[in-house]
Amino acid sequence: AQSVTQPDIHITVSEGASLELRCNYSYGATPYLFWYVQSPGQGLQLLLKYFSGDTLVQGIKGFEAEFKRSQSSFNLRKPSVHWSDAAEYFCAVGAGGASGTYKYIFGTGTRLKVLA
Amino acid sequence: EPEVTQTPSHQVTQMGQEVILRCVPISNHLYFYWYRQILGQKVEFLVSFYNNEISEKSEIFDDQFSVERPDGSNFTLKIRSTKLEDSAMYFCASSRSGIQPQHFGDGTRLSIL
């Protein structure tokens, strides 16, 4: 079955510290992978995506993620966290359907708290 | 940057009433989606729509739900007879092609009393 697991429900880091958010997926074909961020009361904003090619992908706001097929993982990283990064982060896999549509299967999210 | 727009931002409705949630996707996008997020839970796929027809729907999307693209700009989700368990945040999304990343609106919070 297709699924996405984010093992960490909450993570707290100090401002300026590095960050890694974990994501594991289960998908039979080549995965299309995404990280989205959701600030309180807001919609989902795309941070980065992986379709193919270079397994280290760069995104907005200084985020990057690495696709590791052998580990079925797509972990999100940032070298130095800013207070404004406090939000909920969702990993998703795009599952192909009819007519070329792709439904997204989301993980349960990781809520990031940043200490000043 | 173009955005997906959803209205209203918050809808309060009595159980059993019909509700229509409205979305204006990005203008050159061709693929449209609805998702929902029950408070404290993950975002769940409801339905995808392309070429004026449903491409895929989840088991959540039963006969009480319908979608429509009534004109060239709007994309609506209708719940015919709302239930308490329909209370959730509903997100509309669109993409230019199936494989391109989906752009999400800010959502409509639906509260069923």
Side-chain angles (χ1 to χ4, degrees):
Chain A
Q2 304 153 349
S3 66
V4 174
T5 301
Q6 294 180 248
D8 304 305
I9 298 174
H10 296 278
I11 281 187
T12 300
V13 299
S14 298
E15 192 171 19
S18 63
L19 172 70
E20 181 168 28
L21 303 183
R22 295 183 290 165
C23 172
N24 292 95
Y25 67 90
S26 173
Y27 188 65
T30 301
Y32 296 129
L33 296 162
F34 308 87
W35 275 98
Y36 282 84
V37 60
Q38 184 182 33
S39 298
Q42 302 293 311
L44 298 162
Q45 181 183 22
L46 178 70
L47 284 176
L48 46 77
K49 63 184 185 290
Y50 172 79
F51 287 169
S52 64
D54 194 346
T55 56
L56 184 64
V57 293
Q58 303 297 321
I60 63 170
K61 304 185 181 186
F63 286 93
E64 66 178 26
E66 186 170 13
F67 170 61
K68 294 185 177 180
R69 185 185 296 276
S70 61
Q71 298 177 19
S72 297
S73 69
F74 188 56
N75 294 347
L76 181 72
R77 300 194 294 248
K78 186 170 184 178
S80 178
V81 169
H82 188 262
W83 65 266
S84 60
D85 293 324
E88 188 147 25
Y89 292 79
F90 291 93
C91 180
V93 64
S99 305
T101 57
Y102 280 80
K103 69 179 182 185
Y104 286 3
I105 299 164
F106 285 88
T108 49
T110 297
R111 186 169 297 278
L112 174 65
K113 182 177 179 179
V114 180
L115 301 176
Chain B
E1 184 178 331
E3 294 181 339
V4 175
T5 305
Q6 290 187 243
T7 55
S9 57
H10 192 189
Q11 174 81 43
V12 181
T13 301
Q14 292 289 330
M15 184 173 60
Q17 295 295 305
E18 174 183 288
V19 66
I20 297 175
L21 309 183
R22 303 182 190 279
C23 170
V24 178
I26 295 173
S27 62
N28 63 348
H29 285 189
L30 301 175
Y31 293 77
F32 312 110
Y33 305 83
W34 284 101
Y35 294 81
R36 80 172 186 190
Q37 184 182 30
I38 294 173
L39 189 62
Q41 298 185 26
K42 62 181 170 182
V43 178
E44 302 173 287
F45 167 78
L46 291 178
V47 66
S48 58
F49 189 88
Y50 170 72
N51 199 27
N52 279 321
E53 62 183 18
I54 291 174
S55 297
E56 186 174 356
K57 57 185 180 181
S58 72
E59 59 188 26
I60 302 168
F61 195 90
D62 62 21
D63 292 344
Q64 295 301 312
F65 290 84
S66 63
V67 289
E68 192 178 32
R69 188 156 162 80
D71 52 40
S73 61
N74 291 283
F75 180 51
T76 61
L77 174 69
K78 180 162 72 175
I79 308 174
R80 193 171 7 259
S81 178
T82 51
K83 302 187 282 281
L84 293 175
E85 53 265 37
D86 294 328
S87 294
M89 180 75 90
Y90 288 80
F91 291 105
C92 173
S94 70
S95 64
R96 183 158 35 181
S97 69
I99 196 174
Q100 288 300 313
Q102 295 171 23
H103 295 252
F104 285 77
D106 284 345
T108 293
R109 180 164 297 285
L110 178 62
S111 300
I112 307 300
L113 305 179

